[in-house]
Amino acid sequence: MKTIILFLLFSLFYSIISFSISFEIPERSYSIVLYKDGSATVTERITYKIKQPFRYVSWAIDFEEPVKIEDLRVEVLQGPTPSQIIYDEKTIRNISLRVLFSRSMEEYVSVPNEGQIVEIAVSYLLRDILMEGKDFSQLFIKYIGKGTVVPTMLLKVRVVLPLEFGKPLIYHHPWGLHITRNDVASNIYEFTFRRVPKDTFVEGRFVFPQITNTETKYFIDASMSDVEKEEKAYLLKTRLLVVFAIIYVVVVAAFPFYVYRRYGREEKIDYQAEYEREIPYNDPPELVNAIVKRLCQTPDDDAISAAILDMVKTGEVEFVENQKREIVGIKILKQSKKRSKLIDCFAE
């Protein structure tokens, strides 16, 4: 049973990984032309680079009431000849479709080693896409909706607005995307977005102050001051989230380093001896031995041995050797006051 569960988990994991790397979206474009009556024509182009055998590419869009979608057209600009278009959902506000390239859902289209480029264009008309408030009107549109499973490397947007509406206030969401803006002509704008992460929507908000009495049927209970407050609150909230994220990362990264610096290292000992065998203090070894072992009277054998070696080093005594260079005795050369009792022990 455990083997079967592990196999199923491995298969699921492998399928997720395989799906996530089966294709890329190197580029897509979004072009919208807004009219005075509140309608707009939209053309989307999506370029897929497919790395594994495939059957179809998908596309979807959805709007809220009272927006309506009309005159939908799908065209394959590059890639294999499609066999059919399958609609999973098709209403006046929601469309989900698949452009099928294989002859059936059981077959796959082979892909060359360098990958297969498939480019599709989808155009449609939107009714009542312009929103009208108490003292303003706005075009609020998503260039990319949420749910994209791979990043978009390059998104090109072109927005054409009525001259009668005047220059709009322009906002883009989410905050933090790399955006390049180009004002082509009067009320014609182009924007370029780079490296849009997966599952990230990109939307534009074009606000026209004092523009009312349009022909749109999309009315909202909001004023221009509400728009300004909403955008300021959004910007403040996003920046605070970024600041808190940075602080969190710094704290998480710095805390282990602090613990290591505070508790994970031995304290440094100032020891300047030339050789490691040199003792880092001025007291003779027999005194240290007496203190450590609490022998405050006669030194033990270890103390005597250490003291003799230390006195040989200081020139107080020297070893007496026989002809075979064996140590047979100790000769006292000089006697210091601090070691008089110890030398007396030797004399005994």
Side-chain angles (χ1 to χ4, degrees), residues 286-301:
E286 64 273 18
L287 178 58
V288 175
N289 175 269
I291 295 173
V292 171
K293 295 191 174 183
R294 297 181 181 179
L295 301 174
C296 298
Q297 295 178 357
T298 306
D300 64 1
D301 293 340

Side-chain angles (χ1 to χ4, degrees), residues 223-267:
S223 62
M224 191 63 205
S225 60
D226 296 327
V227 173
E228 293 172 348
K229 290 178 183 178
E230 188 179 63
E231 289 298 330
K232 287 181 181 178
Y234 169 81
L235 185 59
L236 178 61
K237 178 182 177 181
T238 306
R239 288 182 174 176
L240 286 176
L241 287 175
V242 172
V243 170
F244 286 138
I246 294 174
I247 293 174
Y248 175 78
V249 171
V250 170
V251 169
V252 169
F255 182 72
F257 181 73
Y258 166 77
V259 172
Y260 167 74
R261 295 281 297 182
R262 182 68 178 85
Y263 303 104
R265 300 188 308 164
E266 294 185 5
E267 294 185 8

Side-chain angles (χ1 to χ4, degrees), residues 140-152:
F140 211 152
I141 195 75
K142 280 186 172 64
Y143 315 134
I144 300 179
K146 238 181 175 183
T148 53
V149 296
V150 295
T152 300

Side-chain angles (χ1 to χ4, degrees), residues 49-65:
K49 183 178 181 180
I50 303 175
K51 302 178 181 179
Q52 298 179 4
F54 69 105
R55 295 172 297 181
Y56 60 87
V57 296
S58 58
W59 178 88
I61 192 172
D62 65 273
F63 289 95
E64 296 180 356
E65 192 177 358

